[in-house]
Amino acid sequence: MEVDLSTDELLSTTRTVRKRLDLERPVPVEVVRECLELAVQAPSGSNSQGWHWVVVTDADKRRQLGELYRRGFQAYAAAPQYLGKRSTGDPEADAVGQRVASSAEYLAEKMGEVPVLLIPCLSNRADNATSAHSASYWGSLFPAVWSFCLAARSRGLGTAWTTLHLSYEREAADVLGIPYEKVSQGAMLPVAYTKGTDFKPAPRKNLDSIVHIDSW
């Protein structure tokens, strides 16, 4: 299945998908591999290509990862800054926040049921790194992860970039046999066909409020 999109349409409609993930429809590993073939064309520092991709289809492993994610989400949702608790005084903004929170809560309950979970990884670790080192390190993985999301969208698949399971990264490594001391996990992406493909550009801040030419 391919979605006929121009480059601009692809870039402006690749949404975080949660409630519209089709949990019942299988995702062929061959389609995931197609997306990864495109993802690894992304740049990496010194052309190191130190990425690894763990494609999880096993039901029990998905269930275990889903539980780790749920535990991470529970801690996040209990924090004062959780989107579902915040009030800005702007009814429209608060309504959007509540919709996003509801969507996030749904994914926290359903993560382990998504047909494919993708764990993008990078060789070595950057624990307690400086900002410069951390930016350089993750800059060799994240462009490829986003390329995967774009490739998935063009094939009728939805994704959501999540990181809450990383509070339990070592446990996730044990589930998947990832050598924790030598390899870092960068995210966990649920991957599934979407219920409909009619995603639209999202409201965003006016560029004049966030673009700085030559100085802040």
Side-chain angles (χ1 to χ4, degrees):
M1 175 182 179
E2 292 191 5
V3 182
D4 185 17
L5 298 168
S6 69
T7 301
D8 285 1
E9 288 171 332
L10 178 64
L11 291 170
S12 62
T13 64
T14 300
R15 302 266 70 82
T16 294
V17 186
R18 301 183 184 96
K19 289 185 176 181
R20 288 179 63 180
L21 295 171
D22 189 338
L23 305 182
E24 303 300 324
R25 183 178 175 185
V27 176
V29 172
E30 292 77 11
V31 177
V32 178
R33 287 180 62 90
E34 286 181 12
C35 297
L36 290 173
E37 288 280 7
L38 294 167
V40 298
Q41 290 296 318
S44 61
S46 301
N47 195 31
S48 56
Q49 301 179 56
W51 42 52
H52 293 268
W53 309 84
V54 184
V55 181
V56 186
T57 63
D58 179 83
D60 185 57
K61 291 180 179 180
R62 285 185 287 122
R63 179 191 60 76
Q64 292 181 69
L65 293 173
E67 176 59 21
L68 293 177
Y69 184 82
R70 188 181 66 81
R71 287 163 58 190
F73 184 84
Q74 286 177 333
Y76 165 59
Q81 67 270 24
Y82 174 54
L83 188 64
K85 296 179 178 178
R86 292 203 310 244
S87 176
T88 65
D90 180 341
E92 185 174 344
D94 289 345
V96 171
Q98 289 299 317
R99 288 198 299 272
V100 173
S102 173
S103 178
E105 290 161 9
Y106 172 85
L107 183 60
E109 291 301 317
K110 299 295 185 179
M111 182 70 85
E113 301 176 35
V114 178
V116 173
L117 298 178
L118 177 68
I119 312 289
C121 302
L122 195 60
S123 296
N124 303 313
R125 300 200 65 81
D127 302 329
N128 303 314
T130 64
S131 295
H133 183 198
S134 181
S136 175
Y137 177 77
W138 291 115
S140 286
L141 178 65
F142 290 166
V145 181
W146 187 240
S147 288
F148 175 88
C149 295
L150 294 169
R153 160 71 170 144
S154 74
R155 286 160 175 76
L157 296 166
T159 59
W161 191 314
T162 79
T163 56
L164 291 175
H165 89 286
L166 293 175
S167 296
Y168 306 98
E169 184 186 359
R170 190 181 291 272
E171 290 93 327
D174 290 342
V175 170
L176 300 172
I178 298 171
Y180 176 84
E181 302 297 339
K182 298 179 180 179
V183 174
S184 299
Q185 300 167 50
M188 180 162 69
L189 278 66
V191 181
Y193 284 104
T194 58
K195 298 175 181 178
T197 59
D198 55 332
F199 295 93
K200 296 178 173 61
R204 290 292 185 258
K205 294 179 180 179
N206 187 288
L207 281 184
D208 289 340
S209 69
I210 57 174
V211 175
H212 312 275
I213 306 297
D214 293 330
S215 67
W216 191 273

